[in-house]
């Protein structure tokens, strides 16, 4: 703001700053598993696989050992910062203090960064750690991906994603299932459900914000999903399938900078990382926005 603040100079002053349209809260962090750690180089999401029982075949037989398989997914941390300076003379020229609105904008940037990390982790490579502490990359299996098929989001794709999760023993009674899509996919759903009045009414309520759940998924609308050409990569998941780790408490400070003529510095810093904890709980849904 120190070099751009002249845009806010006014001859007649409004009561408040106008924040331009942007995402201010994290939309995805409440839909994944979140862990808070302190001063760590990395964090591990420890996983425990299933076992099967062994049938008894004789009296006084040896006790069977049914070892529980353990594995890990590793998160490494990246540090992100957002900083701005407010010169003291600017407060006089603007006739209002921009410090608080500036902090709101910087905090919003941090919240969007959380979503970006979660989106990248959901469909990118995860790092699996063996019992010997050897790391290997794991891509999302092809069986967990729904091709675009020359169409945008359809009811058939939603049902396929749900079937995939249920076939992988995801229990909606134990944890919620989410799907994140873009505005184009929401519009596509409204168009493809016009043939069925019940579905159309449900999607129209979804568009209007009257409901947020349909066909078993809680819908999240985001403009931050990756797009390659005309193909937007959306995804559905069970809450425990993706993890976000926060390394320490975000550092949020407002302080004077003596080296900058005692200007006020607004400072936000966070350290975080995300990973796909369980491949079977994430389904990629590619959508052709040109369809």
């Amino acid at each position: 703001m120190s070099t751009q603040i002249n845009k806010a100079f006014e001859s007649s002053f409004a009561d408040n700053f106008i924040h331009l349209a942007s995402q201010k809260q994290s939309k995805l962090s409440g839909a994944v598993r979140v862990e808070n750690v302190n001063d760590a180089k990395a964090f591990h999401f420890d996983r425990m696989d299933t076992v099967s029982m062994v049938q008894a075949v004789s009296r006084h037989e040896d006790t069977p050992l049914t070892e529980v398989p353990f594995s890990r997914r590793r998160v490494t941390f990246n540090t992100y910062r957002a900083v701005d300076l407010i010169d003291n003379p600017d407060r006089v020229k603007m006739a209002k203090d921009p410090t608080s609105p500036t902090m709101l904008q910087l905090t919003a940037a941090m919240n969007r960064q959380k979503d970006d990390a979660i989106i990248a982790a959901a469909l990118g490579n995860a790092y699996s750690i063996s019992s010997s502490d050897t790391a290997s990359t794991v891509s999302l299996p092809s069986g967990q991906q729904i091709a675009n098929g020359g169409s945008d989001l359809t009811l058939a794709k939603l049902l396929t994603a749900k079937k995939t999760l249920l076939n992988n023993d995801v229990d909606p009674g134990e944890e919620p299932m989410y799907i994140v899509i873009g505005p184009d996919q929401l519009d596509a759903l409204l168009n493809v459900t016009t043939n069925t009045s019940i579905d159309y009414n449900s999607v129209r309520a979804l568009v209007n914000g009257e409901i947020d759940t349909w066909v078993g998924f809680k819908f999240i609308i985001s403009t931050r999903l990756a797009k390659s050409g005309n193909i937007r990569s959306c995804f559905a998941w069970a809450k425990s399938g993706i993890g976000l780790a926060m390394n320490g408490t975000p550092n949020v400070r407002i302080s004077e900078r003596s080296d900058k003529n005692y200007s006020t510095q607004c400072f936000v810093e966070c350290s975080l990382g995300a990973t796909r904890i369980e491949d079977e709980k994430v389904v990629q849904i590619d959508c052709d926005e040109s369809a």
Side-chain angles (χ1 to χ4, degrees):
M1 185 180 291
S2 55
T3 59
Q4 299 294 321
I5 204 163
N6 59 304
K7 292 182 175 62
F9 292 164
E10 308 166 58
S11 56
S12 60
F13 300 114
D15 292 334
N16 299 296
F17 286 89
I18 299 173
H19 292 271
L20 301 183
S22 64
Q23 176 188 327
K24 296 177 176 61
Q25 301 297 324
S26 171
K27 295 185 175 184
L28 302 180
S29 60
V32 301
R33 177 174 173 176
V34 178
E35 296 288 345
N36 294 288
V37 298
N38 290 302
D39 300 325
K41 293 182 179 180
F43 178 79
H44 294 104
F45 286 95
D46 291 315
R47 314 187 313 163
M48 185 184 297
D49 208 346
T50 59
V51 296
S52 298
M53 299 191 76
V54 177
Q55 182 180 349
V57 296
S58 66
R59 298 179 65 220
H60 309 305
E61 64 182 353
D62 290 340
T63 303
L65 180 62
T66 53
E67 293 183 324
V68 178
F70 288 92
S71 59
R72 287 178 155 183
R73 288 287 169 91
R74 176 176 289 170
V75 169
T76 55
F77 297 107
N78 291 311
T79 299
Y80 303 93
R81 299 185 180 99
V83 189
D84 201 359
L85 285 173
I86 301 171
D87 290 336
N88 291 320
D90 294 334
R91 300 176 194 269
V92 177
K93 296 178 182 178
M94 298 173 69
K96 51 188 172 183
D97 190 348
T99 304
S100 180
T102 298
M103 288 302 299
L104 288 176
Q105 292 292 71
L106 301 187
T107 303
M110 176 179 66
N111 291 332
R112 293 191 295 270
Q113 189 61 55
K114 292 179 183 179
D115 284 3
D116 289 346
I118 292 169
I119 291 170
L123 304 182
N125 286 332
Y127 291 91
S128 179
I129 308 301
S130 68
S131 57
S132 61
D133 202 37
T134 301
S136 59
T137 58
V138 181
S139 59
L140 188 67
S142 59
Q144 300 296 119
Q145 300 180 41
I146 299 173
N148 70 83
S151 64
D152 209 321
L153 186 59
T154 64
L155 179 57
K157 288 182 179 180
L158 288 175
L159 294 177
T160 299
K162 183 177 182 179
K163 179 182 177 181
T164 301
L165 293 174
L166 294 180
N167 279 336
N168 291 335
D169 289 325
V170 171
D171 186 349
E174 291 186 351
E175 60 178 327
M177 296 191 301
Y178 297 90
I179 183 169
V180 58
I181 63 176
D184 199 271
Q185 285 69 57
L186 192 61
D187 184 64
L189 281 182
L190 194 61
N191 289 329
V192 300
T193 57
T194 54
N195 295 327
T196 307
S197 60
I198 296 177
D199 287 336
Y200 177 78
N201 291 334
S202 296
V203 175
R204 185 172 62 182
L206 191 68
V207 172
N208 293 337
E210 297 166 4
I211 62 172
D212 62 3
T213 303
W214 188 50
V215 295
F217 290 112
K218 183 170 183 179
F219 279 70
I220 298 173
I221 313 302
S222 174
T223 58
R224 309 190 73 78
L225 292 168
K227 183 179 179 181
S228 177
N230 294 319
I231 309 304
R232 181 83 63 183
S233 293
C234 307
F235 58 95
W237 74 100
K239 184 171 183 176
S240 63
I242 303 174
L244 172 69
M246 300 295 299
N247 191 13
T249 303
N251 186 6
V252 180
R253 294 177 180 273
I254 299 175
S255 58
E256 285 185 339
R257 286 280 304 272
S258 60
D259 61 323
K260 296 293 182 181
N261 298 309
Y262 295 94
S263 294
T264 299
Q265 177 175 274
C266 299
F267 181 93
V268 175
E269 177 187 75
C270 65
S271 179
L272 57 87
T275 188
R276 190 175 59 253
I277 299 175
E278 191 171 350
D279 302 331
E280 292 77 10
K281 291 184 177 180
V282 179
V283 179
Q284 179 175 341
I285 308 171
D286 284 344
C287 300
D288 188 343
E289 294 189 343
S290 67

